[in-house]
Amino acid sequence: MTFNSAGKFAEAIPPLESYTRMQPGDPAGHYQLATAYTRMGRKPEAEREMALQREASARQPKGAQTPR
């Protein structure tokens, strides 16, 4: 998330890919990775991550916090 916030999208992708593999149920990870992919012009990957983000969000109980 820090790399995304700093506009360093290429640098954000490898750690976010690792994170989403380790924590596939965290919607925030998929959202951040989709953002980085979008900013790097990787539209198909971004769309896939947004779909995974929506699925992960739908599985979480209402009011649940995502791990940080």
Side-chain angles (χ1 to χ4, degrees):
M1 287 175 32
T2 301
F3 285 129
N4 272 355
S5 294
K8 297 180 179 183
F9 304 108
E11 293 175 46
I13 291 172
L16 286 168
E17 288 174 334
S18 293
Y19 179 78
T20 56
R21 279 192 300 273
M22 292 185 300
Q23 297 291 329
D26 182 3
H30 294 291
Y31 178 82
Q32 290 294 323
L33 184 52
T35 299
Y37 281 150
T38 297
R39 297 299 178 102
M40 294 304 299
R42 295 171 62 178
K43 186 176 179 178
E45 292 98 330
E47 289 173 353
R48 182 189 71 232
E49 289 301 322
M50 285 307 294
L52 291 169
Q53 185 271 336
R54 286 188 295 273
E55 290 172 17
S57 290
R59 285 192 299 266
Q60 286 193 339
K62 291 198 185 256
Q65 295 289 321
T66 57
R68 303 245 179 225

